[in-house]
Amino acid sequence: MPKPVPTQQLIDGLLRGDRLALARAISRVEDDAEDAAGIVQAVFAHTGKAHLIGITGAPGTGKSTLVSALIESYRASGVTVGVLAVDPTSPFSGGALLGDRVRMTGHSGDAGVFIRSMAMRRGAGGLAKASAEAMLLLDAAGFDRVLVETVGAGQAEIEIASVADTVVVVEAPGLGDEVQAIKAGLLEIADIFAVNKADRKGAARTVAALEMMLETGSAAAQPIFHHGQRMETGAAASESDAGEGWSIPVLETVAVSGGGVAQLRDAIERHRAWLDESGGRGAREGRRLDHMLQTLVQAEVLARLERALAPALRGELVELMQRRQIDPYSAAADVIRKLSR
Amino acid sequence: MKQSQIRVLIAKPGLDGHDRGAKVIARALRDAGFEVIYTGIRQTPQMIAAAALQEDVDVVGLSILSGAHMTLCPKVVELLHAQGQEDVLVLLGGIIPDEDAAQLKAAGVHAVFGPGTTSAEIISFIRNAMAG
Ligand code: B12
Ligand SMILES: Nc1nc2c(ncn2[C@@H]2O[C@H](COP(=O)(O)OP(=O)(O)OP(=O)(O)O)[C@@H](O)[C@H]2O)c(=O)[nH]1
Ligand SMILES: [Mg+2]
């Protein structure tokens, strides 16, 4: 194998707009390589400029096709776009078949577009563990808009709300019972609804059902339970910031032909402007960084805990307790002292 | 030895619509634990090279049954090298006459797999190449 490219070279390249450096930096972050933290640290000062857009919704609703249409629409006005497309990892093999890109061809000669597929690996909530970091890298590389397509989502896949400025929830007609199809969790995090495949019959019914749910707020009032635990949505605050002055639009789109895509882009841009005016941007970014901080601290503390609670040490402490040479509280304090190292 | 996940791009260059083999291989590689990016049919060499770069893959697998391999494959290799991806493993599958395979190997294709190749052969070839 060839020698890996030095970290500093990747950082400099990424900030200069070198696409191979960006691609390799994303891999380092994704692989949790030794220099992953260093890369993110080095580029962090250059982030905060891109508008981060999440595209989520049930499997097969047309998210990738819609992302491709949005890329085209943004590029027509010279806006650059970075894309992160997340697909599931097979729990059996650890491998993944990343197929979103199939729907996003036709932008390859364009230096203003960068599309990266990402396997969920051990991530949760519809995103990969490294999605947030990869978004920072795309931001630092200078893309004006960063679009993130989640895995086909159900009501528990709402992690996107903690990492995006604007969340577009994609629905499609004919997914069975409309009300069933519109998952409570997704309803709660949507800033914009796109009813895609509007060329099919039933689109108007889906739009009406969504509008009715938004009016009554019935779904939004339901807490989201995942494996029996109440979930931290990180977007619960949408009650506070989406409530005032932003009324959630429900738009029909036909991603395959580009129908309604300009309107969708306009809605995203209106939401962006609204975030700027209302102070919502700062609030969301604050929440995002707080979420990242929590995640990093939790991961580090867990890793230290695992080390501190090594079976050998535990065995030793248990023995001491059994011999009444130490009490459980002192034993615990002993372990906790080791955590800070 | 590469410790991280092995990423593979499976692409069908040219106007060739025979995508059965490419899909079989893509699935087999996923089941072997690789991360496989499938680009679909009708890809130009430029599209394939751009995808290989953005996806930072370790392996580019081309599938060609149309007979256009002698023009398409060297072009893909040339573009990969020109963009700094000389170290990417390039594999070719499909209907490739032996004498063409020899020429393509001289042009930078690492291995050629014809009809009847088992997934196991391809998987162990990639594993060995990554370990080497
Ligand atoms: C099925 C088939 C079709 C199907 C394709 C269905 C589909 N979606 O794939 C249909 C009926 C549509 C079709 C149409 C045509 N076909 Co046709 N088709 C075949 C046939 C019988 C089998 C191909 C196949 O699917 N094999 C099964 C798969 C699993 O095998 P495979 O692709 O070879 O893949 C294996 C290896 O090659 C390798 N491999 C393949 N790709 C890759 C990639 C990587 C990275 C790796 C590592 C390995 C690898 O591993 C796989 C597993 O062993 C072949 C004959 C043959 N025996 O190969 C002709 C054949 C390929 N077709 C041929 C022709 C001419 C055509 C048509 C032009 C016919 C016409 N006049 O209309 C059209 C063109 C269609 C188009 N748009 O391109 C010719 C090509 C001649 C040539 N190359 O010079 C062949 C060889 C028949 C012949 N003897 O004449 N075809
Ligand atoms: N009729 C119609 N079909 C569409 C439309 N948009 C997408 N499709 C088709 O729907 C299928 C799924 O589209 P994708 O874009 O892959 O959907 P996705 O939501 O990204 O799918 P996953 O990533 O697998 O969850 C494809 O066959 C598309 O061609 C549309 O507006 N109308
Ligand atoms: Mg998709």
Side-chain angles (χ1 to χ4, degrees):
Chain A
M1 282 305 282
K3 270 207 231 85
V5 179
T7 310
Q8 194 57 46
Q9 205 173 310
L10 289 186
I11 295 165
D12 295 342
L14 182 156
L15 294 174
R16 234 189 301 114
D18 175 348
R19 298 304 185 226
L20 185 57
L22 169 62
R24 286 175 167 161
I26 294 176
S27 301
R28 300 275 171 99
V29 164
E30 213 186 353
D31 291 338
D32 206 7
E34 248 166 57
D35 56 359
I39 292 172
V40 178
Q41 283 176 306
V43 306
F44 185 72
H46 302 269
T47 63
K49 295 182 213 117
H51 187 66
L52 311 175
I53 303 158
I55 310 285
T56 190
T61 46
K63 298 179 290 298
S64 303
T65 316
L66 208 48
V67 166
S68 189
L70 281 169
I71 295 173
E72 209 173 308
S73 176
Y74 274 122
R75 291 305 294 142
S77 37
V79 176
T80 59
V81 187
V83 175
L84 205 59
V86 188
D87 264 328
T89 288
S90 156
F92 306 108
S93 71
L97 193 46
L98 309 171
D100 291 325
R101 203 180 179 102
V102 178
R103 314 272 176 223
M104 303 183 193
T105 54
H107 313 288
S108 70
D110 185 351
V113 180
F114 185 97
I115 300 169
R116 177 64 175 242
S117 313
M118 194 174 233
M120 212 172 123
R121 298 194 185 175
R122 276 160 299 160
L127 291 177
K129 261 167 94 175
S131 293
E133 281 83 357
M135 289 165 76
L136 284 175
L137 299 189
L138 289 167
D139 184 350
F143 292 100
D144 301 321
R145 303 288 177 271
V146 173
L147 295 172
V148 182
E149 177 185 342
T150 71
V151 304
Q155 68 169 21
E157 277 77 31
I158 50 172
E159 184 73 10
I160 188 69
S162 347
V163 300
D165 296 314
T166 300
V167 176
V168 178
V169 173
V170 184
E171 297 282 346
L175 288 180
D177 186 318
E178 257 81 54
V179 184
Q180 275 297 102
I182 299 156
K183 300 293 203 300
L186 292 186
L187 197 76
E188 190 170 330
I189 63 169
D191 297 305
I192 298 167
F193 276 106
V195 175
N196 190 42
K197 308 196 186 186
D199 51 325
R200 294 204 180 154
K201 69 170 191 292
R205 271 226 322 263
T206 306
V207 170
L210 279 170
E211 278 173 344
M212 185 132 90
M213 285 184 110
L214 288 172
E215 249 164 58
T216 59
S218 59
Q222 292 168 14
I224 302 151
F225 289 90
H226 184 48
H227 300 311
Q229 278 187 313
R230 202 195 154 111
M231 282 192 60
E232 277 277 6
T233 67
S238 63
E239 286 156 25
S240 58
D241 61 25
E244 290 154 39
W246 179 254
S247 71
I248 300 169
V250 182
L251 305 169
E252 289 190 13
T253 57
V254 184
V256 279
S257 68
V261 172
Q263 286 78 359
L264 175 59
R265 190 199 61 183
D266 288 348
I268 294 169
E269 294 302 307
R270 263 191 288 117
H271 186 251
R272 174 171 173 264
W274 175 81
L275 283 176
D276 284 334
E277 286 156 20
S278 67
R281 174 176 303 281
R284 281 191 191 212
E285 185 182 47
R287 223 162 36 235
R288 186 155 68 234
L289 293 174
D290 182 44
H291 182 76
M292 217 163 167
L293 176 66
Q294 273 189 48
T295 311
L296 287 173
V297 171
Q298 272 172 14
E300 180 60 27
V301 170
L302 272 177
R304 287 187 189 191
L305 188 64
E306 243 161 60
R307 265 178 272 138
L309 273 180
L313 173 72
R314 260 157 73 191
E316 214 174 282
L317 288 172
V318 168
E319 215 181 291
L320 289 174
M321 286 188 286
Q322 282 182 318
R323 282 200 252 117
R324 297 300 185 276
Q325 285 176 354
I326 186 172
D327 63 273
Y329 290 89
S330 306
D334 216 42
V335 172
I336 287 171
R337 258 195 305 278
K338 289 196 164 59
L339 286 185
S340 52
R341 266 176 251 150
Chain B
M1 178 78 201
K2 187 178 156 70
Q3 292 297 325
S4 49
Q5 265 287 6
I6 294 170
R7 291 168 63 85
V8 185
L9 187 80
I10 298 289
K12 283 210 51 79
L15 302 176
D16 180 11
H18 296 92
D19 59 358
R20 210 183 274 169
K23 285 180 170 165
V24 167
I25 299 301
R27 258 178 249 120
L29 295 183
R30 175 204 52 198
D31 293 341
F34 301 117
E35 288 182 357
V36 182
I37 298 108
Y38 181 60
T39 66
I41 59 171
R42 291 181 178 267
Q43 301 290 296
T44 63
Q46 285 75 13
M47 289 161 104
I48 294 168
L53 182 140
Q54 294 172 2
E55 301 289 357
D56 186 30
V57 290
D58 308 290
V59 183
V60 170
L62 306 171
S63 181
I64 309 179
L65 286 79
S66 66
H69 46 272
M70 293 309 280
T71 50
L72 294 168
C73 290
K75 188 70 196 163
V76 172
V77 172
E78 187 192 313
L79 290 168
L80 287 173
H81 289 195
Q83 67 192 17
Q85 289 186 296
E86 303 87 353
D87 48 338
V88 168
L89 189 72
V90 181
L91 308 180
L92 170 64
I95 309 287
I96 317 291
D98 288 347
E99 57 276 23
D100 290 357
Q103 270 194 53
L104 290 172
K105 281 185 194 164
V109 173
H110 295 89
V112 179
F113 301 93
T117 312
T118 63
S119 304
E121 285 171 65
I122 295 164
I123 291 158
S124 76
F125 183 90
I126 295 175
R127 288 239 165 86
N128 286 336
M130 292 296 117

